[in-house]
mmCIF file of all heavy atoms in Angstrom:
data_model
loop_
_atom_site.group_PDB
_atom_site.id
_atom_site.type_symbol
_atom_site.label_atom_id
_atom_site.label_comp_id
_atom_site.label_asym_id
_atom_site.label_seq_id
_atom_site.Cartn_x
_atom_site.Cartn_y
_atom_site.Cartn_z
ATOM 1 N N GLY I 98 87.194 64.250 34.399
ATOM 2 C CA GLY I 98 88.638 64.204 34.238
ATOM 3 C C GLY I 98 89.053 64.285 32.779
ATOM 4 O O GLY I 98 89.974 64.996 32.384
ATOM 5 N N TYR I 99 88.312 63.561 31.941
ATOM 6 C CA TYR I 99 88.677 63.348 30.555
ATOM 7 C C TYR I 99 88.484 64.598 29.701
ATOM 8 O O TYR I 99 89.351 65.013 28.986
ATOM 9 C CB TYR I 99 87.850 62.175 30.008
ATOM 10 C CG TYR I 99 87.800 62.095 28.521
ATOM 11 C CD1 TYR I 99 88.752 61.483 27.766
ATOM 12 C CD2 TYR I 99 86.680 62.576 27.821
ATOM 13 C CE1 TYR I 99 88.730 61.395 26.407
ATOM 14 C CE2 TYR I 99 86.598 62.499 26.480
ATOM 15 C CZ TYR I 99 87.610 61.908 25.753
ATOM 16 O OH TYR I 99 87.558 61.839 24.403
ATOM 17 N N LEU I 100 87.308 65.188 29.855
ATOM 18 C CA LEU I 100 86.942 66.337 28.981
ATOM 19 C C LEU I 100 87.863 67.522 29.045
ATOM 20 O O LEU I 100 88.404 68.013 28.066
ATOM 21 C CB LEU I 100 85.475 66.696 29.150
ATOM 22 C CG LEU I 100 84.900 67.689 28.218
ATOM 23 C CD1 LEU I 100 85.079 67.272 26.776
ATOM 24 C CD2 LEU I 100 83.427 67.979 28.499
ATOM 25 N N PRO I 101 88.145 68.043 30.300
ATOM 26 C CA PRO I 101 89.053 69.183 30.400
ATOM 27 C C PRO I 101 90.472 68.853 29.891
ATOM 28 O O PRO I 101 91.106 69.646 29.203
ATOM 29 C CB PRO I 101 89.161 69.486 31.896
ATOM 30 C CG PRO I 101 87.957 68.852 32.489
ATOM 31 C CD PRO I 101 87.584 67.672 31.616
ATOM 32 N N LEU I 102 90.910 67.633 30.158
ATOM 33 C CA LEU I 102 92.255 67.192 29.817
ATOM 34 C C LEU I 102 92.391 67.137 28.307
ATOM 35 O O LEU I 102 93.310 67.694 27.666
ATOM 36 C CB LEU I 102 92.525 65.809 30.425
ATOM 37 C CG LEU I 102 93.975 65.420 30.615
ATOM 38 C CD1 LEU I 102 94.668 66.397 31.496
ATOM 39 C CD2 LEU I 102 94.040 64.001 31.226
ATOM 40 N N VAL I 103 91.448 66.470 27.667
ATOM 41 C CA VAL I 103 91.499 66.255 26.227
ATOM 42 C C VAL I 103 91.264 67.617 25.491
ATOM 43 O O VAL I 103 91.890 67.868 24.467
ATOM 44 C CB VAL I 103 90.507 65.199 25.773
ATOM 45 C CG1 VAL I 103 89.134 65.699 25.538
ATOM 46 C CG2 VAL I 103 91.057 64.444 24.561
ATOM 47 N N TYR I 104 90.449 68.480 26.039
ATOM 48 C CA TYR I 104 90.195 69.763 25.372
ATOM 49 C C TYR I 104 91.394 70.670 25.504
ATOM 50 O O TYR I 104 91.862 71.225 24.517
ATOM 51 C CB TYR I 104 88.929 70.504 25.952
ATOM 52 C CG TYR I 104 88.695 71.746 25.210
ATOM 53 C CD1 TYR I 104 88.106 71.732 23.957
ATOM 54 C CD2 TYR I 104 89.057 72.969 25.723
ATOM 55 C CE1 TYR I 104 87.949 72.860 23.217
ATOM 56 C CE2 TYR I 104 88.827 74.135 25.028
ATOM 57 C CZ TYR I 104 88.254 74.090 23.761
ATOM 58 O OH TYR I 104 88.088 75.204 23.008
ATOM 59 N N ALA I 105 91.944 70.774 26.744
ATOM 60 C CA ALA I 105 93.090 71.666 26.934
ATOM 61 C C ALA I 105 94.282 71.162 26.118
ATOM 62 O O ALA I 105 94.960 71.945 25.437
ATOM 63 C CB ALA I 105 93.458 71.726 28.437
ATOM 64 N N GLY I 106 94.567 69.848 26.172
ATOM 65 C CA GLY I 106 95.652 69.279 25.450
ATOM 66 C C GLY I 106 95.450 69.468 23.958
ATOM 67 O O GLY I 106 96.426 69.855 23.231
ATOM 68 N N GLY I 107 94.245 69.165 23.441
ATOM 69 C CA GLY I 107 93.962 69.285 22.027
ATOM 70 C C GLY I 107 94.098 70.716 21.570
ATOM 71 O O GLY I 107 94.666 70.999 20.467
ATOM 72 N N LEU I 108 93.604 71.680 22.381
ATOM 73 C CA LEU I 108 93.710 73.077 22.043
ATOM 74 C C LEU I 108 95.205 73.516 21.964
ATOM 75 O O LEU I 108 95.633 74.241 21.088
ATOM 76 C CB LEU I 108 92.929 73.918 23.003
ATOM 77 C CG LEU I 108 92.873 75.432 22.716
ATOM 78 C CD1 LEU I 108 92.309 75.686 21.363
ATOM 79 C CD2 LEU I 108 92.116 76.186 23.806
ATOM 80 N N GLY I 109 95.920 73.079 22.958
ATOM 81 C CA GLY I 109 97.372 73.403 23.009
ATOM 82 C C GLY I 109 98.103 72.959 21.756
ATOM 83 O O GLY I 109 98.776 73.731 21.121
ATOM 84 N N LEU I 110 97.882 71.712 21.438
ATOM 85 C CA LEU I 110 98.529 71.125 20.227
ATOM 86 C C LEU I 110 98.038 71.902 18.960
ATOM 87 O O LEU I 110 98.852 72.219 18.095
ATOM 88 C CB LEU I 110 98.236 69.665 20.077
ATOM 89 C CG LEU I 110 98.876 68.719 21.103
ATOM 90 C CD1 LEU I 110 98.473 67.276 20.860
ATOM 91 C CD2 LEU I 110 100.374 68.866 21.071
ATOM 92 N N ALA I 111 96.742 72.148 18.887
ATOM 93 C CA ALA I 111 96.221 72.837 17.708
ATOM 94 C C ALA I 111 96.817 74.206 17.559
ATOM 95 O O ALA I 111 97.167 74.652 16.462
ATOM 96 C CB ALA I 111 94.693 72.935 17.796
ATOM 97 N N MET I 112 96.983 74.946 18.712
ATOM 98 C CA MET I 112 97.563 76.299 18.609
ATOM 99 C C MET I 112 99.064 76.239 18.204
ATOM 100 O O MET I 112 99.519 77.074 17.452
ATOM 101 C CB MET I 112 97.360 77.005 19.912
ATOM 102 C CG MET I 112 95.871 77.266 20.093
ATOM 103 S SD MET I 112 95.378 78.453 21.387
ATOM 104 C CE MET I 112 96.544 79.715 21.185
ATOM 105 N N LEU I 113 99.741 75.194 18.699
ATOM 106 C CA LEU I 113 101.139 75.075 18.319
ATOM 107 C C LEU I 113 101.267 74.847 16.810
ATOM 108 O O LEU I 113 102.206 75.328 16.167
ATOM 109 C CB LEU I 113 101.783 73.907 19.063
ATOM 110 C CG LEU I 113 102.161 74.134 20.532
ATOM 111 C CD1 LEU I 113 102.595 72.797 21.146
ATOM 112 C CD2 LEU I 113 103.240 75.126 20.589
ATOM 113 N N LEU I 114 100.315 74.052 16.261
ATOM 114 C CA LEU I 114 100.427 73.685 14.838
ATOM 115 C C LEU I 114 99.742 74.653 13.948
ATOM 116 O O LEU I 114 99.786 74.533 12.707
ATOM 117 C CB LEU I 114 99.851 72.322 14.653
ATOM 118 C CG LEU I 114 100.679 71.131 15.155
ATOM 119 C CD1 LEU I 114 100.059 69.817 14.695
ATOM 120 C CD2 LEU I 114 102.135 71.197 14.728
ATOM 121 N N ASN I 115 99.091 75.683 14.513
ATOM 122 C CA ASN I 115 98.362 76.618 13.657
ATOM 123 C C ASN I 115 99.255 77.673 13.087
ATOM 124 O O ASN I 115 98.864 78.816 12.911
ATOM 125 C CB ASN I 115 97.247 77.269 14.487
ATOM 126 C CG ASN I 115 96.298 78.080 13.606
ATOM 127 O OD1 ASN I 115 96.143 77.749 12.438
ATOM 128 N ND2 ASN I 115 95.776 79.158 14.130
ATOM 129 N N ARG I 116 100.479 77.359 12.763
ATOM 130 C CA ARG I 116 101.360 78.327 12.125
ATOM 131 C C ARG I 116 102.203 77.552 11.122
ATOM 132 O O ARG I 116 102.532 76.393 11.350
ATOM 133 C CB ARG I 116 102.258 78.990 13.147
ATOM 134 C CG ARG I 116 101.589 80.286 13.579
ATOM 135 C CD ARG I 116 102.511 81.118 14.348
ATOM 136 N NE ARG I 116 101.961 81.251 15.694
ATOM 137 C CZ ARG I 116 102.650 81.866 16.691
ATOM 138 N NH1 ARG I 116 103.889 82.263 16.457
ATOM 139 N NH2 ARG I 116 102.091 81.984 17.869
ATOM 140 N N ALA I 117 102.575 78.215 10.105
ATOM 141 C CA ALA I 117 103.421 77.567 9.083
ATOM 142 C C ALA I 117 104.727 77.130 9.812
ATOM 143 O O ALA I 117 105.367 77.941 10.496
ATOM 144 C CB ALA I 117 103.746 78.513 7.964
ATOM 145 N N MET I 118 105.039 75.869 9.726
ATOM 146 C CA MET I 118 106.298 75.401 10.320
ATOM 147 C C MET I 118 106.723 74.154 9.588
ATOM 148 O O MET I 118 105.899 73.395 9.031
ATOM 149 C CB MET I 118 106.190 75.174 11.820
ATOM 150 C CG MET I 118 105.267 74.031 12.202
ATOM 151 S SD MET I 118 104.975 73.988 13.945
ATOM 152 C CE MET I 118 106.524 73.402 14.551
ATOM 153 N N LYS I 119 108.018 73.924 9.585
ATOM 154 C CA LYS I 119 108.534 72.705 8.916
ATOM 155 C C LYS I 119 108.016 71.443 9.643
ATOM 156 O O LYS I 119 107.983 71.418 10.850
ATOM 157 C CB LYS I 119 110.042 72.744 8.923
ATOM 158 C CG LYS I 119 110.635 72.606 7.539
ATOM 159 C CD LYS I 119 112.128 72.549 7.604
ATOM 160 C CE LYS I 119 112.709 73.312 6.391
ATOM 161 N NZ LYS I 119 114.056 73.757 6.631
ATOM 162 N N GLY I 120 107.604 70.465 8.862
ATOM 163 C CA GLY I 120 107.218 69.209 9.454
ATOM 164 C C GLY I 120 105.839 69.260 10.098
ATOM 165 O O GLY I 120 105.497 68.334 10.893
ATOM 166 N N ARG I 121 105.045 70.243 9.779
ATOM 167 C CA ARG I 121 103.734 70.359 10.428
ATOM 168 C C ARG I 121 102.877 69.135 10.114
ATOM 169 O O ARG I 121 102.224 68.607 11.013
ATOM 170 C CB ARG I 121 103.040 71.665 10.012
ATOM 171 C CG ARG I 121 101.745 71.861 10.722
ATOM 172 C CD ARG I 121 101.270 73.248 10.610
ATOM 173 N NE ARG I 121 100.630 73.426 9.313
ATOM 174 C CZ ARG I 121 99.851 74.508 9.016
ATOM 175 N NH1 ARG I 121 99.709 75.456 9.919
ATOM 176 N NH2 ARG I 121 99.296 74.622 7.849
ATOM 177 N N ASN I 122 102.829 68.784 8.851
ATOM 178 C CA ASN I 122 101.977 67.627 8.492
ATOM 179 C C ASN I 122 102.454 66.334 9.158
ATOM 180 O O ASN I 122 101.602 65.518 9.561
ATOM 181 C CB ASN I 122 102.002 67.411 6.987
ATOM 182 C CG ASN I 122 101.174 68.511 6.285
ATOM 183 O OD1 ASN I 122 100.433 69.217 6.958
ATOM 184 N ND2 ASN I 122 101.380 68.631 4.975
ATOM 185 N N LEU I 123 103.749 66.189 9.325
ATOM 186 C CA LEU I 123 104.258 65.010 10.001
ATOM 187 C C LEU I 123 103.811 64.972 11.449
ATOM 188 O O LEU I 123 103.320 63.948 11.920
ATOM 189 C CB LEU I 123 105.788 64.980 9.928
ATOM 190 C CG LEU I 123 106.444 63.838 10.658
ATOM 191 C CD1 LEU I 123 106.175 62.506 9.931
ATOM 192 C CD2 LEU I 123 107.957 64.031 10.769
ATOM 193 N N PHE I 124 103.964 66.134 12.131
ATOM 194 C CA PHE I 124 103.532 66.172 13.524
ATOM 195 C C PHE I 124 102.034 65.895 13.680
ATOM 196 O O PHE I 124 101.589 65.136 14.547
ATOM 197 C CB PHE I 124 103.840 67.526 14.156
ATOM 198 C CG PHE I 124 105.286 67.692 14.499
ATOM 199 C CD1 PHE I 124 106.064 68.700 13.862
ATOM 200 C CD2 PHE I 124 105.912 66.878 15.434
ATOM 201 C CE1 PHE I 124 107.433 68.822 14.162
ATOM 202 C CE2 PHE I 124 107.236 66.993 15.695
ATOM 203 C CZ PHE I 124 108.026 67.978 15.064
ATOM 204 N N ARG I 125 101.268 66.488 12.727
ATOM 205 C CA ARG I 125 99.809 66.282 12.784
ATOM 206 C C ARG I 125 99.491 64.791 12.642
ATOM 207 O O ARG I 125 98.664 64.254 13.304
ATOM 208 C CB ARG I 125 99.194 67.086 11.613
ATOM 209 C CG ARG I 125 97.836 67.586 11.893
ATOM 210 C CD ARG I 125 97.373 68.425 10.776
ATOM 211 N NE ARG I 125 97.562 67.707 9.490
ATOM 212 C CZ ARG I 125 97.013 68.132 8.330
ATOM 213 N NH1 ARG I 125 96.337 69.206 8.269
ATOM 214 N NH2 ARG I 125 97.217 67.410 7.223
ATOM 215 N N ALA I 126 100.210 64.145 11.719
ATOM 216 C CA ALA I 126 99.957 62.715 11.482
ATOM 217 C C ALA I 126 100.331 61.926 12.741
ATOM 218 O O ALA I 126 99.629 60.931 13.070
ATOM 219 C CB ALA I 126 100.752 62.239 10.262
ATOM 220 N N ILE I 127 101.433 62.269 13.412
ATOM 221 C CA ILE I 127 101.836 61.569 14.561
ATOM 222 C C ILE I 127 100.808 61.731 15.715
ATOM 223 O O ILE I 127 100.447 60.739 16.321
ATOM 224 C CB ILE I 127 103.236 62.039 15.034
ATOM 225 C CG1 ILE I 127 104.310 61.621 14.053
ATOM 226 C CG2 ILE I 127 103.543 61.532 16.465
ATOM 227 C CD1 ILE I 127 105.667 62.174 14.306
ATOM 228 N N TYR I 128 100.381 62.957 15.928
ATOM 229 C CA TYR I 128 99.372 63.166 16.975
ATOM 230 C C TYR I 128 98.095 62.382 16.701
ATOM 231 O O TYR I 128 97.375 62.032 17.645
ATOM 232 C CB TYR I 128 98.985 64.659 17.102
ATOM 233 C CG TYR I 128 100.125 65.534 17.549
ATOM 234 C CD1 TYR I 128 100.154 66.892 17.182
ATOM 235 C CD2 TYR I 128 101.200 65.006 18.311
ATOM 236 C CE1 TYR I 128 101.246 67.686 17.600
ATOM 237 C CE2 TYR I 128 102.236 65.808 18.704
ATOM 238 C CZ TYR I 128 102.265 67.161 18.350
ATOM 239 O OH TYR I 128 103.261 67.945 18.725
ATOM 240 N N PHE I 129 97.780 62.141 15.452
ATOM 241 C CA PHE I 129 96.566 61.454 15.096
ATOM 242 C C PHE I 129 96.677 59.970 15.219
ATOM 243 O O PHE I 129 95.697 59.255 15.227
ATOM 244 C CB PHE I 129 96.151 61.856 13.700
ATOM 245 C CG PHE I 129 94.680 61.602 13.389
ATOM 246 C CD1 PHE I 129 93.771 62.439 13.955
ATOM 247 C CD2 PHE I 129 94.260 60.559 12.622
ATOM 248 C CE1 PHE I 129 92.377 62.205 13.709
ATOM 249 C CE2 PHE I 129 92.928 60.310 12.380
ATOM 250 C CZ PHE I 129 91.968 61.160 12.911
ATOM 251 N N LEU I 130 97.923 59.444 15.343
ATOM 252 C CA LEU I 130 98.157 58.006 15.322
ATOM 253 C C LEU I 130 97.304 57.229 16.378
ATOM 254 O O LEU I 130 96.688 56.217 16.027
ATOM 255 C CB LEU I 130 99.643 57.761 15.591
ATOM 256 C CG LEU I 130 100.265 56.494 15.008
ATOM 257 C CD1 LEU I 130 99.945 56.370 13.540
ATOM 258 C CD2 LEU I 130 101.770 56.560 15.195
ATOM 259 N N PRO I 131 97.204 57.754 17.616
ATOM 260 C CA PRO I 131 96.392 56.983 18.623
ATOM 261 C C PRO I 131 94.942 56.895 18.236
ATOM 262 O O PRO I 131 94.248 56.029 18.640
ATOM 263 C CB PRO I 131 96.658 57.764 19.911
ATOM 264 C CG PRO I 131 97.919 58.478 19.712
ATOM 265 C CD PRO I 131 97.984 58.823 18.254
ATOM 266 N N VAL I 132 94.507 57.919 17.469
ATOM 267 C CA VAL I 132 93.069 57.918 17.095
ATOM 268 C C VAL I 132 92.670 56.703 16.265
ATOM 269 O O VAL I 132 91.583 56.156 16.424
ATOM 270 C CB VAL I 132 92.681 59.218 16.362
ATOM 271 C CG1 VAL I 132 91.202 59.270 16.053
ATOM 272 C CG2 VAL I 132 93.076 60.406 17.178
ATOM 273 N N ILE I 133 93.596 56.274 15.372
ATOM 274 C CA ILE I 133 93.247 55.152 14.514
ATOM 275 C C ILE I 133 93.572 53.820 15.231
ATOM 276 O O ILE I 133 93.226 52.782 14.672
ATOM 277 C CB ILE I 133 94.039 55.215 13.178
ATOM 278 C CG1 ILE I 133 95.552 55.205 13.465
ATOM 279 C CG2 ILE I 133 93.661 56.415 12.356
ATOM 280 C CD1 ILE I 133 96.353 54.547 12.380
ATOM 281 N N THR I 134 94.213 53.849 16.358
ATOM 282 C CA THR I 134 94.515 52.614 17.088
ATOM 283 C C THR I 134 93.296 52.171 17.882
ATOM 284 O O THR I 134 92.603 53.012 18.422
ATOM 285 C CB THR I 134 95.666 52.889 18.042
ATOM 286 O OG1 THR I 134 96.711 53.571 17.327
ATOM 287 C CG2 THR I 134 96.228 51.594 18.616
#
Side-chain angles (χ1 to χ4, degrees):
Chain I
Y99 162 83
L100 187 55
L102 203 58
V103 85
Y104 183 76
L108 181 59
L110 291 180
M112 293 193 42
L113 282 173
L114 288 188
N115 189 31
R116 267 192 242 172
M118 66 189 289
K119 235 183 217 156
R121 185 164 79 167
N122 288 346
L123 177 69
F124 284 118
R125 212 176 50 169
I127 290 173
Y128 295 153
F129 199 74
L130 209 51
V132 182
I133 59 150
T134 312

